[in-house]
Amino acid sequence: MTGPRILAVSGSLRTQGFNRKLLDLAVTHARSLGAEVDVVDLKALGLPLYDGDVEAAGLPPPVLELRERLGKAQGLLISSPEYNSSIPGGLKNAIDWVSRPPGRLFHDKWAAMMGTSPGVFGTARMQPHLRQVLSSVGALVLNTQVHLPKAAEAFTPDGKLKDEARQKEVETLVGALVSKLKG
C-alpha cells in the first residue's frame, strides 16, 4: 500500500529562498512518515499570469500540468513568505489558475501552511490571507501552522534549523497533515 500523496509548494520563487529550505525539511519528514511527496517548483513550471482571455482560448500546458499534479494529491504542504503582509503573487496566481472550473481540485483536501521571513512576524500576517483563500476554494486547512521569524538566522549552512524546538514544530505540522490524510 502506498502512503498519502502530498503536493508541496513553496511560495518563494527564489532558487535559494528560505521557504524552499523550510519546505525541503518538511518534505523530508513527510517522506520519512511514508508520504509520497510531489514538489512543485512554481518558477520552473512557468505559469502565465491568470487571464480569462487566455483561459477561454484553452488552458496553457503549465496550467494543465499543475492541475493534473494537484488532482493526484490528497493534501497540500505550503511554505510561503509574505510579501507586503500577504500572499506572494506567484503562489496566488497558481491557486487562481487551478481553482478554475472544471473540477474542484482543492475540495476536501487537507492543507498545511508554514512560512518564514527575515522579519520578526515569520509570515503571521500572510497566513490568515492564505487560509482564507484556501478555504474559499474548498481546502481544509489545518489549525496548526508554523511561523518562523528571522529566517537569515534560523538555518545552518547545510539547510537545517538551528533551533530544535522549531524543527519539532515543522515535524508536528507535517505529522498532523500525514495523519489527516491517512484517515
Side-chain angles (χ1 to χ4, degrees):
M1 181 174 169
T2 60
R5 294 177 309 278
I6 297 172
L7 188 72
V9 180
S10 172
S12 175
L13 301 180
R14 286 183 54 204
T15 304
Q16 296 297 319
F18 295 122
N19 280 280
R20 286 186 181 221
K21 290 180 182 183
L22 188 60
L23 187 66
D24 287 345
L25 295 172
V27 166
T28 298
H29 188 63
R31 288 178 175 153
S32 78
L33 297 175
E36 295 178 27
V37 185
D38 177 10
V39 181
V40 172
D41 181 338
L42 292 178
K43 186 175 188 175
L45 192 58
L47 293 170
L49 291 175
Y50 175 76
D51 179 334
D53 292 335
V54 172
E55 180 184 24
L59 296 178
V63 173
L64 291 171
E65 178 184 338
L66 184 57
R67 288 179 59 86
E68 179 181 334
R69 291 167 78 177
L70 178 59
K72 291 177 181 176
Q74 296 168 290
L76 295 158
L77 178 58
I78 300 172
S79 181
S80 182
E82 61 180 36
Y83 293 170
N84 297 317
S85 302
S86 193
I87 305 167
L91 178 59
K92 180 64 167 68
N93 185 55
I95 294 168
D96 289 345
W97 269 117
V98 296
S99 66
R100 304 291 298 156
R104 297 174 63 186
L105 295 175
F106 288 99
H107 189 71
D108 291 338
K109 291 187 187 202
W110 282 100
M113 299 185 310
M114 59 184 179
T116 186
S117 68
V120 296
F121 295 110
T123 71
R125 299 172 297 184
M126 176 278 298
Q127 287 191 26
H129 298 181
L130 183 55
R131 177 179 297 279
Q132 178 182 9
V133 169
L134 290 173
S135 295
S136 75
V137 296
L140 305 169
V141 185
L142 291 176
N143 288 331
T144 307
Q145 62 231 351
V146 174
H147 306 228
L148 182 64
K150 300 183 180 180
E153 302 166 23
F155 295 91
T156 65
D158 63 343
K160 306 274 192 262
L161 287 174
K162 291 179 183 177
D163 185 343
E164 286 184 33
R166 291 295 188 172
Q167 178 66 36
K168 185 66 177 162
E169 285 181 37
V170 172
E171 291 173 1
T172 299
L173 177 69
V174 171
L177 177 62
V178 170
S179 178
K180 287 285 188 185
L181 299 180
K182 286 182 176 178

